[in-house]
Amino acid sequence: MDSVLNDTFVWFAGLLRDLLESLGIPADYVTVLLLLVGAFVLATILLLSTFILIWAERKIVARIQDRLGPNRVGPFGVLQTVADLMKLVTKELITPIGADIIPYNLAPLLAVMAVVGIWAVMPFAPTFIGADINVGVLYTVSIGAIGTLGIMLAGMSSNNKYALLGAFRTVAMMISYAVPMVLALVIPVLLASSMGMSSIVEAQSNFSWFIFLAPVAAFVFFVSSIAEVGRAPFDLLEAESEIVAGFHIEYSGLKFGMFFVAEFLHAFTISALFATLFLGGWQGPYAEIYPVLGLVYFLIKTSLVYFVVIWIRASFPRFRIDQINSLNWKMITPIALGAIIFAAITEKLVQETGLNQFLAHATANVILIVIILVSLRLYASAARKAQAQKDELAIPVSQASPIE
Amino acid sequence: MTILQITFLIVALIAVVAALMVVTSPSMVHAALWLILTLGCVAVLFVLLNAGFLAVVQVAVYIDAIAIMIIIVVMLTRRAMSQDATQVTKTWWAAILVAATMFAALVLLFTLVPFIWEGPAALSMTGEAFLDELGESLVDVNRYILPFEVASILLLVALIGSITVALPLKIREKESGD
C-alpha cells in the first residue's frame, strides 16, 4: 500500500504492463500498446473535461456580467453543456457547395488534435508525464502551428468570403504573436538550462518559480499566448460583428462543436502551460513524496490561471486589427527581446560571480520595467506632439496666425 | 519485422506518394497541402532516427511557413483555388533546360570537389548533450559559425528588403529625396 501512495502512477503502469505480458504479448508490442492506451485515456479525459470547463467559464463570465448563467439543467446548471452537446449531435452536418471536401473535413480534426497534442508533454506530477522528450517546449510551439493550419484549412476550404477573411486574420495575428511567445519561452529554457518540460518544473523547486525570476517574460508569455489561441480580447478571427463567425462560419453540428471544444480546451491548455513554465507546475509541499499531491497542485495552479484568462475575456473589449499588430510589433516583441538579453546576461553573471540568483534577476527585471515605462512615456509625448502639430495645420487659413 | 521497420515503410511510402502529388496536383492550394504532408512524414522519419529536435523544428518551421505560403498563393496568383488550371506553361522546355543544366552542374561540382563527400563531423545523438553540442557547434569558430552567420545575414537582408518594398510610397520618396 505504501508503494501505491508513493508512486501511484508508476505502480499503475507496472500493473498494466504485468497484466499484458502475462497474456503472452511480446515486450516491445506491450510498450506500444501501453502508449496507445495512455494517449487514448488522456485525450478522452481532456475532451470530457471541456464539459466542466465550458460550464465554469459560462458561470464565471455570467457572474462578472451580473447575470446568473446556466442554472436550469442539473444542480447549478452543471449538465447544461451535456444538453448543448445533445443538441449539436442531432443537428445536420451541412457541407457548402464548392467546398474543398477533404481539407474541409480535416480542419476540425486538426484543431482538436493540436490542443490535445500539447498535453502529451505536460508534466502532471513527478512521475506522471506522457512523453518526457528533451525538446518539450519546442514541441508545444510546433503543435500550435498545426492548430493554425487547421484554422487556415477551415477558412480556405469553406468557399466563403467571411471564412477566408477569418483565415487571413489568423495569419496576421497568430503567426505574428508566435514570435513574442517563442521569445518568452526561451527564458524558462534559459533559467532551467533544459527544454524538457519536467526538467523545467524540477528547476523551480523551493518556490524559486520562474514568475519571480522573470516576471516580464511571464507577462509577455501570458499576453501572447492568449492572442495565440485567439481568445477575447484578441478574438477578431471570429469577430461576429465584422465577419459573422470567421473561419468556422460554414461548419454546423458536431464539426462546429469540435472547433468550440478546441477553443475552450486551448484556453485551459495555455493556463496549464503557464502554470508549468512559470508557476512551478506540480511543485509544492510534499509533492516529491506523494506524486498525487503534485497533480492536485498542478490543477489548482492551472485553474487559477484559467480564472484570470476568463476574467480578462469578460473585462476587455475586442482590439482592432491595427491595434493588435502594433501592440505586437511595437510593444510586446521588443519587450520580449529585451527580457531575453537581460535574463541571459544576469544568468551568466550569477554563474560567474555567484550572486544571489533571485536578487540579481529581480534587479534586472526592475531595470527592464523602468526602461519600458520610460520609453512608453517618451513615445506617448512624441505622439502627442505629432498630433498637436497635425491639429495646428488643420486650422483654416483665415484663423491661422500670419506666417513671418 | 519490428514495429520500427513497419512504421518506417508506411511513413516513407506516404512521403513519396505525397511528394509526387505536390508536383502533379492541378490546384495550387492542394499542392501546398500535399507538401505539408510530405514534410510531416519527413519529421516522422527524423523521430525514427532519434533526432527529435530536428523533427520538432521541421514541424514548427515548415508547417507555419506553408500556412503563410498558402495565403500568398491565394493573394498573388490568379485562379489559385480552381481545379482546371493547366499544368504546363509555354516555356516548359526552357524550364527543363535550366533544371537539367543545374542538375548537371551540381553533379559536376560534387565530383570535382572531393572533400564534400567527407561531410562535417557528426554530432553525438544522445538527449540533452546533443542539444548542447548543436548549440555550441553553431558558435564554434572551427565548425559551423560561418554558415550560421551567412544564413543570419541572408535573413536580415530579406527582412530589410521586405520592409523597403512594403514602405508606403510617400515615405520612400521623402527619404530618397532628402
Side-chain angles (χ1 to χ4, degrees), chain A residues 8-38:
Chain A
T8 325
F9 308 113
V10 173
W11 173 79
F12 192 65
L15 195 74
L16 271 181
R17 175 176 289 277
D18 288 346
L19 182 74
L20 285 174
E21 276 176 357
S22 68
L23 292 176
I25 306 170
D28 61 333
Y29 282 80
V30 168
T31 312
V32 172
L33 214 61
L34 273 183
L35 287 175
L36 283 177
V37 168

Side-chain angles (χ1 to χ4, degrees), chain A residues 100 134 153 156 168 171 194, chain B residues 30 33 36 71 74 81 127-128:
Chain A
D100 212 342
N134 59 348
L153 282 187
M156 299 284 317
F168 277 29
V171 173
S194 167
Chain B
H30 284 173
L33 297 179
I36 291 176
I71 292 286
V74 173
M81 320 276 277
E128 207 74 18

Side-chain angles (χ1 to χ4, degrees), chain B residues 34-156:
Chain B
W34 283 113
L35 187 59
I36 291 176
L37 187 61
T38 314
L39 295 172
C41 289
V42 173
V44 177
L45 292 182
F46 277 134
V47 172
L48 293 180
L49 290 171
N50 261 341
F53 178 73
L54 286 181
V56 169
V57 168
Q58 170 96 5
V59 174
V61 171
Y62 282 110
I63 291 190
D64 249 7
I66 290 173
I68 301 171
M69 201 175 82
I70 294 177
I71 292 286
I72 291 170
V73 162
V74 173
M75 286 198 296
L76 296 186
T77 58
R78 257 182 278 169
R79 281 181 295 159
M81 320 276 277
S82 69
Q83 299 283 338
D84 52 354
T86 165
Q87 288 279 71
V88 283
T89 61
K90 279 177 194 163
T91 52
W92 59 271
W93 52 272
I96 286 183
L97 202 68
V98 171
T101 320
M102 276 298 288
F103 184 71
L106 279 176
V107 169
L108 197 68
L109 192 71
F110 286 154
T111 47
L112 283 182
V113 187
F115 61 81
I116 280 183
W117 292 113
E118 288 169 17
L123 299 167
S124 66
M125 291 286 198
T126 45
E128 207 74 18
F130 162 67
L131 288 181
D132 288 349
E133 207 181 334
L134 184 70
E136 274 163 21
S137 69
L138 287 180
V139 290
D140 192 343
V141 183
N142 297 322
R143 290 161 84 180
Y144 308 115
I145 188 155
L146 196 65
F148 183 64
E149 290 300 323
V150 168
S152 315
I153 290 174
L154 191 69
L155 288 175
L156 188 69

Side-chain angles (χ1 to χ4, degrees), chain A residues 233-291:
Chain A
F234 298 97
D235 60 343
L236 79 175
L237 51 150
E238 42 183 303
E240 298 87 354
S241 50
E242 296 161 26
I243 50 173
V244 197
F247 64 93
H248 58 57
I249 182 171
E250 292 289 2
Y251 287 86
S252 65
L254 256 190
K255 287 184 201 164
F256 165 74
M258 289 180 83
F259 281 118
F260 194 65
V261 163
E263 192 199 321
F264 277 88
L265 199 56
H266 223 148
F268 191 67
T269 308
I270 59 157
S271 315
L273 265 182
F274 187 86
T276 307
L277 294 170
F278 290 101
L279 298 181
W282 47 259
Q283 294 278 3
Y286 302 109
E288 301 267 0
I289 310 165
Y290 302 108

Side-chain angles (χ1 to χ4, degrees), chain A residues 6 89 139 155 158 162 185 196 234 236-237 326 332 350 383 386 388 400 404:
Chain A
N6 279 346
V89 170
Y139 169 85
S158 292
Y162 291 117
L185 279 175
F234 298 97
L236 79 175
L237 51 150
S326 55
I332 295 184
V350 168
E404 288 173 26

Side-chain angles (χ1 to χ4, degrees), chain A residues 81-380:
Chain A
T81 326
V82 181
D84 288 349
L85 179 84
M86 289 300 142
K87 190 195 76 173
L88 273 182
V89 170
T90 54
K91 277 190 173 178
E92 185 189 356
L93 291 173
I94 299 166
T95 308
I97 296 170
D100 212 342
I101 298 295
I102 296 173
Y104 177 79
N105 290 313
L106 203 60
L109 294 180
L110 283 177
V112 175
M113 195 188 93
V115 191
V116 176
I118 292 179
W119 289 84
V121 294
M122 201 75 84
F124 293 93
T127 51
F128 184 17
I129 176 168
D132 190 12
I133 53 177
N134 59 348
V135 286
V137 172
L138 208 58
Y139 169 85
T140 60
V141 175
S142 63
I143 287 289
I146 293 178
T148 315
L149 187 74
I151 292 176
M152 282 275 322
L153 282 187
M156 299 284 317
S157 60
S158 292
N159 194 25
N160 181 309
K161 286 191 179 66
Y162 291 117
L164 195 61
L165 277 176
F168 277 29
R169 287 182 173 196
T170 316
V171 173
M173 194 176 81
M174 290 171 87
I175 289 175
S176 43
Y177 271 90
V179 173
M181 194 177 88
V182 174
L183 289 177
L185 279 175
V186 168
I187 291 167
V189 170
L190 198 140
L191 291 173
S193 61
S194 167
M195 281 207 279
M197 296 295 255
S198 55
S199 349
I200 287 180
V201 175
E202 274 154 25
Q204 304 180 62
S205 56
N206 296 327
F207 286 93
S208 65
W209 298 353
F210 289 157
I211 192 168
F212 302 133
L213 293 180
V216 176
F219 173 76
V220 168
F221 177 77
F222 188 64
V223 172
S224 49
S225 60
I226 290 179
E228 191 61 11
V229 301
R231 270 182 85 80
F234 298 97
D235 60 343
L236 79 175
L237 51 150
E238 42 183 303
E240 298 87 354
S241 50
E242 296 161 26
I243 50 173
V244 197
F247 64 93
H248 58 57
I249 182 171
E250 292 289 2
Y251 287 86
S252 65
L254 256 190
K255 287 184 201 164
F256 165 74
M258 289 180 83
F259 281 118
F260 194 65
V261 163
E263 192 199 321
F264 277 88
L265 199 56
H266 223 148
F268 191 67
T269 308
I270 59 157
S271 315
L273 265 182
F274 187 86
T276 307
L277 294 170
F278 290 101
L279 298 181
W282 47 259
Q283 294 278 3
Y286 302 109
E288 301 267 0
I289 310 165
Y290 302 108
V292 184
L293 268 182
L295 183 62
V296 173
Y297 292 136
F298 173 76
L299 288 178
I300 290 174
K301 286 171 185 172
T302 305
S303 312
L304 280 178
V305 181
Y306 187 52
F307 178 74
V308 178
V309 172
I310 297 172
W311 191 4
I312 288 174
R313 182 193 157 193
S315 311
F316 285 95
R318 182 183 295 139
F319 283 120
R320 283 199 321 263
I321 184 94
D322 61 317
Q323 288 171 332
I324 280 192
N325 276 327
S326 55
L327 178 74
N328 178 35
W329 293 112
K330 292 179 187 165
M331 276 231 5
I332 295 184
T333 308
I335 291 175
L337 283 170
I340 286 187
I341 295 170
F342 271 72
I345 292 174
T346 321
E347 188 63 21
K348 192 72 191 168
L349 273 180
V350 168
Q351 278 174 11
E352 296 286 314
T353 61
L355 289 166
N356 183 322
Q357 195 194 20
F358 174 71
L359 282 181
H361 279 286
T363 324
N365 271 287
V366 167
I367 296 173
L368 185 62
I369 290 169
V370 168
I371 292 175
I372 292 167
L373 291 180
V374 167
S375 46
L376 274 181
R377 180 49 72 86
L378 287 177
Y379 175 74

